[in-house]
Amino acid sequence: MAIAEETVLVTGANRGIGQALVAEALNRGAKRVYAGTRQPLTHPDRRVTPLTLDVTNPAHIQAAANQVEALDLLINNAGIWLYDDLSDRAVLEEHLAVNFYGTWGVTQAFLPLLIRSKGTIVNNVSLMALAALPLTPAYSASKAAAFSLTQSLRALLAGRGMRVHAVLTGPVDTDMTRSLDIPKASPASVARAIFDGVEAGEEDIFPDPMSALLADGWRDGVAKALERQNAALAQAQPVTA
Ligand SMILES: NC(=O)c1ccc[n+]([C@@H]2O[C@H](COP(=O)([O-])OP(=O)(O)OC[C@H]3O[C@@H](n4cnc5c(N)ncnc54)[C@H](OP(=O)(O)O)[C@@H]3O)[C@@H](O)[C@H]2O)c1
């Protein structure tokens, strides 16, 4: 899939990786970029259409879907990351609401348009989906759930000619990781790597130096082989829109 002349929607588009994804989509010649944000957004490029989109708000999601006539690429990027110790159910629910149900809800709302275009879904997950960081266990659990969702959507939508990518992102220099004093990739470099991965048809995208170290082992590993084996069971019965 090439991004040029495509219509793209990015959630969490006002800062961090989402803002960089909007800029990179424009660099690559996207025809229209819908920028989903919780607060009002203005953008100097006329190809950008702001959408009010809190991904935990079903009314926002429905209103956004009503505004978009066609869509080729949905990027579920909005996310939250809080420290916890698994003692508070509310923190788990907060993470699941944004990182899991938000991704699910936005995807469901735009699925008819994406099926029509034989489009692409990109879920910005996290390396923590593969191995929990026990400093942020609620976040890790929500990203593991979002990754599982991504794997199932990939299998269920393959029969519709659609592609579903997971981005297994490592540390990136955004507000989210401001408290971490470790090497971090720039949001711009990660946005480029995400679109490179989509254009190259990589199912699982490892967009930064830390995650890239795991890419070959993951792609040749037993978990990926099992995913393919399980996916084959679903191929005969694609989902309805
Ligand atoms: N930074 C990293 O190291 C890293 C690593 C792995 C994965 N990721 C993932 O990458 C994605 C982007 O993260 P980031 O680093 O760019 O973080 P960020 O700078 O903190 O930005 C988070 C974005 O998500 C939006 N958001 C939060 N809750 C939302 C909601 N309920 N509805 C809609 N938008 C919401 C924020 O909007 P507001 O401005 O309104 O809060 C903001 O635009 C996240 O899914 C994150 O989990 C990041």
Side-chain angles (χ1 to χ4, degrees):
M1 177 200 192
I3 309 303
E5 294 304 315
E6 299 284 45
T7 299
V8 180
L9 193 161
V10 181
T11 66
N14 53 307
R15 58 193 172 96
I17 300 169
Q19 186 179 42
L21 286 165
V22 170
E24 186 58 23
L26 295 170
N27 284 343
R28 293 184 188 223
K31 183 168 67 183
R32 169 109 352 248
V33 181
Y34 291 99
T37 61
R38 294 197 283 190
Q39 300 300 323
L41 178 86
T42 54
H43 196 286
D45 193 305
R46 291 163 62 97
R47 291 173 293 164
V48 175
T49 302
L51 292 176
T52 301
L53 186 52
D54 181 329
V55 301
T56 66
N57 185 324
H60 281 192
I61 295 174
Q62 194 51 55
N66 291 345
Q67 281 182 66
V68 176
E69 283 181 9
L71 188 64
D72 300 302
L73 171 59
L74 168 64
I75 307 183
N76 287 302
N77 168 76
I80 57 165
W81 185 79
L82 304 168
Y83 288 98
D84 78 310
D85 60 4
L86 288 181
S87 62
D88 187 348
R89 182 186 172 103
V91 179
L92 272 162
E93 288 177 348
E94 199 178 347
H95 281 91
L96 287 170
V98 181
N99 299 348
F100 177 72
Y101 286 112
T103 298
W104 172 81
V106 172
T107 300
Q108 286 302 117
F110 286 94
L111 202 49
L113 293 181
L114 291 163
I115 288 174
R116 199 187 308 156
S117 66
K118 296 195 189 316
T120 299
I121 299 169
V122 174
N123 292 337
N124 191 1
V125 188
S126 166
L127 268 188
M128 292 178 204
L130 301 184
L133 178 67
L135 297 170
T136 55
Y139 174 84
S140 300
S142 70
K143 290 294 186 173
F147 183 49
S148 180
L149 173 73
T150 307
Q151 290 176 311
S152 289
L153 285 170
R154 176 182 291 158
L156 292 168
L157 295 170
R160 300 286 189 145
M162 287 183 58
R163 286 192 168 169
V164 183
H165 302 264
V167 186
L168 293 153
T169 316
V172 186
D173 192 8
T174 66
D175 296 340
M176 191 172 274
T177 57
R178 202 185 300 137
S179 62
L180 292 180
D181 187 16
I182 55 170
K184 299 171 212 171
S186 71
S189 70
V190 166
R192 284 195 298 275
I194 290 172
F195 284 118
D196 285 348
V198 171
E199 293 190 334
E202 291 168 15
E203 285 189 349
D204 301 315
I205 299 170
F206 296 83
D208 57 277
M210 181 174 164
S211 67
L213 295 173
L214 279 76
D216 289 346
W218 172 258
R219 291 185 181 122
D220 298 336
V222 290
K224 192 69 194 174
L226 184 57
E227 179 192 333
R228 292 202 180 99
Q229 190 179 309
N230 288 348
L233 299 174
Q235 298 305 314
Q237 296 180 330
V239 286
T240 52

